[in-house]
Amino acid sequence: MKALVTTGHGDADVRDWPSPTAHGDQVAVRPLLVGMCGTDLELIDGSIDPAYVRYPLVLGHEWVGQLVNDVEGVGVAGRRVVVEGIIPCGECPACRRGATNLCATYDEIGFTRPGAMAELITAPRSLVHQLDDAVALEDAVLAEPMAVVWRALTRLPLRENLSVAVIGDGTIALLAAYLAATLAPADVTIIGRREAQRALAKRTGATNFVLEAPATRFDLVIEAAGTVASVHTAIEHCARGGSVILLGLPPHGSGVEIAPDDIVNNDVIVQGSFSYTRDAFADVVAHLNARQWQPSFLLTHRYSLDTAQAAVTALRTNELDVVRGKVVVEIAP
Ligand SMILES: [Zn+2]
Ligand SMILES: [Zn+2]
């Protein structure tokens, strides 16, 4: 079969790759639409912590596919599915308390095992979720990044009517603004980085899109730009009694100067969030199947598997005046 493969030396190419065979509790799935993100670039560039990757690697951790065969309890052949990427052991203390994102044995599709940027993939049956026929592939392909955002948003008990700020204008930031609507917020301000993203950002339902942080403070600040400066901005713009959620990933080893007495005096919660739990993923699937979440408007770039290298280029190019939401690759049957 064909697959988009990287060895972590700055390149990824479409090449022949052995087709996997499903045995034991594995299910064969044919990927249909696969999203790419900044993490794929880190995998390609080899800049990710070696503990979290195994090369050579078939990319693809954000995807929707269809069952190759009838699978009891999951669906019939052709049924569209999304699959959790993190494969928890189910037995370690973290797994047993539901924190499957912190499983003692890290194993994830598209990181430590082959991803979905290929004509066929196998996955543990228990992680496969069926989709209703009415769910658009373009919505479902965002299940994984939505699960990342949803886990972060649901970790804290957040009240309604908050003023919310989202820092960043990449897909995770825009999904955070979109899903923040579930909190019934007073307003949502996206503090973006590029004017070209304005129209796309407004489609999330955000109240405001600004390029500079306003002088006001917010009850909830979601940091999704992943720079040291934006983390600083996030903490500085949190109102008394408010919360900061850190979703972006600044370079490893970087530091931020903070005034801890402000955090204490202002009664602020600063919360990190890593990936997603099984519960968060299942919630996302339920919302997709109920057609409550339809974020397909975020898709701006679409390629075929044969031209997947162009998708990588599109992701890498940071042109100020180009609108960029989610970059996806369609795997032709
Ligand atoms: Zn991703
Ligand atoms: Zn575990």
Side-chain angles (χ1 to χ4, degrees):
M1 67 170 185
K2 280 186 293 185
L4 181 68
V5 179
T6 183
T7 56
H9 293 94
D11 280 325
D13 46 20
V14 180
R15 60 169 88 157
D16 283 327
W17 192 258
S19 277
T21 346
H23 42 73
D25 73 332
Q26 301 276 309
V27 171
V29 185
R30 192 168 72 75
L32 297 170
L33 204 56
V34 187
M36 297 196 84
C37 73
T39 305
D40 289 302
L41 290 182
E42 289 173 24
L43 290 163
I44 291 168
D45 292 339
S47 58
I48 216 152
D49 185 333
Y52 293 89
V53 59
R54 212 159 292 152
Y55 294 113
L57 174 71
V58 177
L59 291 164
H61 62 273
E62 305 179 3
W63 60 289
V64 53
Q66 64 185 165
L67 294 178
V68 174
N69 307 302
D70 295 357
V71 181
E72 216 192 308
V74 180
V76 296
R79 168 63 84 176
R80 289 170 171 185
V81 293
V82 284
V83 179
E84 294 173 54
I86 293 190
I87 298 167
C89 75
E91 282 157 21
C92 72
C95 281
R96 270 192 260 123
R97 63 173 199 270
T100 49
N101 58 328
L102 305 179
C103 175
T105 314
Y106 174 75
D107 195 7
E108 186 168 6
I109 291 171
F111 293 82
T112 48
R113 46 169 93 189
M117 205 66 90
E119 291 170 304
L120 193 69
I121 187 172
T122 56
R125 165 206 187 114
S126 61
L127 305 184
V128 180
H129 300 257
Q130 62 171 301
L131 293 170
D132 289 351
D133 289 333
V135 178
L137 291 179
E138 289 76 8
D139 290 322
V141 73
L142 290 161
E144 198 267 2
M146 280 200 287
V148 170
V149 171
W150 189 240
R151 193 275 173 166
L153 280 179
T154 50
R155 194 172 178 197
L156 287 171
L158 294 165
R159 57 186 169 83
E160 294 191 349
N161 211 33
L162 300 173
S163 62
V164 178
V166 177
I167 304 179
D169 54 23
T171 305
I172 288 286
L174 299 184
L175 282 174
Y178 180 67
L179 295 185
T182 60
L183 302 170
D187 47 68
V188 178
T189 299
I190 296 178
I191 304 169
R193 302 204 282 187
R194 298 188 301 126
E195 177 59 31
Q197 297 292 84
R198 179 182 295 274
L200 188 63
K202 291 305 285 283
R203 292 188 67 183
T204 63
T207 330
N208 309 297
F209 177 85
V210 295
L211 293 175
E212 260 176 53
T216 44
R217 287 173 178 258
F218 299 87
D219 302 313
L220 172 64
V221 187
I222 303 169
E223 198 299 296
T227 67
V228 166
S230 56
V231 171
H232 195 255
T233 303
I235 295 170
E236 255 190 345
H237 283 78
C238 187
R240 291 200 82 197
S243 308
V244 175
I245 295 177
L246 301 179
L247 268 178
L249 199 60
H252 181 65
S254 55
V256 179
E257 207 164 290
I258 55 165
D261 60 324
D262 280 350
I263 292 182
V264 176
N265 288 332
N266 289 333
D267 200 37
V268 161
I269 295 172
V270 179
Q271 177 202 249
S273 185
F274 174 71
S275 202
Y276 53 88
T277 56
R278 295 209 62 187
D279 286 349
F281 197 96
D283 265 1
V284 168
V285 175
H287 282 94
L288 279 170
N289 279 336
R291 314 293 315 280
Q292 285 159 327
W293 294 349
Q294 298 182 41
S296 60
F297 62 88
L298 287 170
L299 272 59
T300 54
H301 293 62
R302 193 170 181 135
Y303 299 87
S304 64
L305 182 56
D306 285 328
T307 59
Q309 267 182 314
V312 177
T313 307
L315 202 60
R316 219 186 261 289
T317 315
N318 258 324
E319 283 176 83
L320 266 185
D321 55 347
V322 176
V323 183
R324 189 179 62 207
K326 180 52 69 184
V327 175
V328 297
V329 172
E330 195 178 336
I331 316 282

